[in-house]
Amino acid sequence: MCQVMDDELRIVISGGGTGGHIFPAVSIANAIKALHPEAKILFVGALGRMEMQRVPAAGYEIVGLPICGFDRKHLLKNVAVLFKIWKSQRMARRILRRFRPMAAVGVGGYASGPTLNEAARMGIPCLIQEQNSYAGVTNKLLAKKAARICVAYDGMERFFPADKILKTGNPVRQQLLDCGMTREEAAASFGLDPALPTVLMVGGSLGARTINESVMQHLAEVAASGVQFVWQTGKYYSADIKTRLKAAGQPGNLKVTDFISDMGAAYRAADLVISRAGASSISEFCLIGKPVILVPSPNVAEDHQTKNAMALVERGAAICVRDAEARDKLIPLAVSTVRDKARLAALAESIKKMALPGSADTIAREVVRLARGE
């Protein structure tokens, strides 16, 4: 591939479906722009998925493919899925011919399959970024065609050719690292008492039913704990939770919100976090050195969240509670843990050791090298 000037650098980034794919994708794009401000970046996503809103909000152009996943419960519906895959391949080919990227980046999710397949077929060098400790189906299929595979965990040669693997860690939202607040200032922004131990409970933007039900079943214990809780219920569950809390009585030490816009401040205010075990969230906890209780979602492919969580637990870097046990165990465990300063300190020290800072910059430099044929 010929050498190009900075202002000719053209990169396509594809994937999405969840924040865990979108946040790294946008972070990589931002890092490429920081290195080469004149670079042209085009995102390719799946129509109807959250990247179609989140990527433009981050300032980037995106085009959508009509692709979706296979329906394992209703096999006859997959005739339509196969047609959408075929149509998406044709659309991806047209998009790539029109945009003429120098390199293609796949972050996982439906759209990255047809986009990177076509890119490889056209001789465009491809980089895939695998966030999880257990590789996703799309990335496993794309691995043979990729020039570089960026990973966040050891042992990924189980899934990918070892000579293509580069351990970079997962890019995270930069604003989480740039939070300039003290713990006291962050606590005050949520109306919290900085002198009290604080637990932050998050289940993603839509919420996590198990975490929510764990709180509702232990309201009396929350009220009597001497601990303050910040609870992001998620927008999907918000109305129901408000109704139930009104009937049951909301403890004064329980701050409830459907969505937290400033997660940097929320993390800074918290002594302990309760969260699902998505790869992006885990990378954030590692980089900020935050003690965490992980409740892996059982509703993900290959049970990869449990594998993500256990990679930390085995190093003393997190506590894990199985989804099926959380309703009984989660809140009592959180209360006892957040009161145990020695355990919090040990968890913070261990999880910080797993951090891989500068991931987005490292990946961006690899993308540029591929684009330049180096």
Side-chain angles (χ1 to χ4, degrees):
M1 186 169 291
C2 65
Q3 295 285 324
V4 293
M5 299 297 289
D6 285 359
D7 61 353
E8 294 178 317
L9 193 64
R10 306 172 76 84
I11 307 296
V12 69
I13 301 177
S14 185
T18 67
H21 293 312
I22 298 164
F23 294 142
V26 170
S27 295
I28 293 167
N30 290 342
I32 292 171
K33 289 292 254 183
L35 289 171
H36 299 279
E38 301 305 316
K40 305 292 191 295
I41 298 176
L42 176 68
F43 280 75
V44 181
L47 291 171
R49 307 290 287 188
M50 69 166 68
E51 60 263 26
M52 301 307 294
Q53 285 76 45
R54 296 284 181 89
V55 169
Y60 294 99
E61 181 185 356
I62 187 168
V63 291
L65 303 178
I67 192 163
C68 59
F70 282 100
D71 190 329
R72 293 184 174 89
K73 293 181 180 177
H74 307 95
L75 296 180
L76 289 176
K77 292 184 178 180
N78 289 321
V79 174
V81 174
L82 289 169
F83 174 74
K84 288 180 178 180
I85 292 172
W86 174 81
K87 187 176 180 182
S88 294
Q89 292 275 164
R90 288 173 60 89
M91 288 179 65
R93 192 178 313 144
R94 287 198 298 270
I95 291 164
L96 293 169
R97 282 176 177 164
R98 187 167 61 246
F99 185 67
R100 296 178 294 109
M102 319 303 294
V105 179
V107 296
Y110 300 137
S112 63
T115 306
L116 266 72
N117 268 322
E118 288 302 320
R121 194 172 296 170
M122 295 166 68
I124 300 164
C126 298
L127 177 148
I128 60 177
Q129 199 257 328
E130 174 56 61
Q131 295 97 28
N132 294 293
S133 62
Y134 193 93
V137 173
T138 301
N139 279 349
K140 282 191 281 189
L141 292 172
L142 291 170
K144 290 180 182 178
K145 301 174 182 179
R148 188 80 74 254
I149 302 167
C150 297
V151 302
Y153 293 90
D154 293 323
M156 297 303 287
E157 58 275 2
R158 291 176 295 158
F159 309 107
F160 304 130
D163 60 335
K164 296 182 178 182
I165 293 174
L166 180 65
K167 188 179 178 186
T168 60
N170 287 324
V172 303
R173 295 171 283 182
Q174 190 61 38
Q175 63 264 39
L176 300 182
L177 307 179
D178 293 341
C179 177
M181 292 185 180
T182 64
R183 181 183 178 278
E184 289 70 24
E185 289 168 342
S189 73
F190 286 92
L192 300 170
D193 181 348
L196 289 178
T198 303
V199 177
L200 169 66
M201 302 177 289
V202 290
S205 58
L206 294 179
R209 181 189 295 274
T210 298
I211 293 175
N212 290 346
E213 291 303 321
S214 300
V215 181
M216 290 304 302
Q217 290 185 27
H218 290 271
L219 288 176
E221 187 160 355
V222 166
S225 66
V227 172
Q228 55 196 354
F229 291 79
V230 177
W231 179 17
Q232 180 187 281
T233 62
K235 294 184 178 181
Y236 184 80
Y237 300 102
S238 176
D240 177 61
I241 294 293
K242 283 181 181 176
T243 301
R244 292 168 64 188
L245 280 175
K246 192 172 182 179
Q250 181 175 332
N253 57 335
L254 180 64
K255 305 286 182 182
V256 185
T257 181
D258 64 338
F259 180 73
I260 297 173
S261 57
D262 189 349
M263 286 304 301
Y267 285 155
R268 186 62 56 89
D271 299 295
L272 176 70
V273 178
I274 293 171
S275 172
R276 289 301 199 188
S280 288
S281 296
I282 285 177
S283 294
E284 291 170 358
F285 302 142
C286 292
L287 284 163
I288 62 177
K290 188 60 60 176
V292 61
I293 298 176
L294 298 170
V295 186
S297 170
N299 306 312
V300 294
E302 310 285 359
D303 195 27
H304 69 252
Q305 285 204 5
T306 296
K307 297 176 176 73
N308 290 347
M310 294 314 296
L312 272 69
V313 171
E314 288 163 4
R315 292 167 176 78
I319 300 167
C320 181
V321 175
R322 289 178 57 239
D323 189 86
E325 298 176 343
R327 287 171 173 81
D328 294 329
K329 295 183 177 181
L330 183 58
I331 296 304
L333 178 61
V335 170
S336 64
T337 302
V338 79
R339 287 172 171 166
D340 188 339
K341 291 186 177 180
R343 190 172 195 194
L344 289 179
L347 286 167
E349 183 179 353
S350 296
I351 200 168
K352 191 91 174 175
K353 288 177 182 175
M354 296 189 69
L356 289 167
S359 300
D361 293 334
T362 302
I363 295 169
R365 285 192 291 270
E366 286 298 312
V367 173
V368 172
R369 273 199 281 268
L370 288 178
R372 296 191 181 287
E374 296 173 0

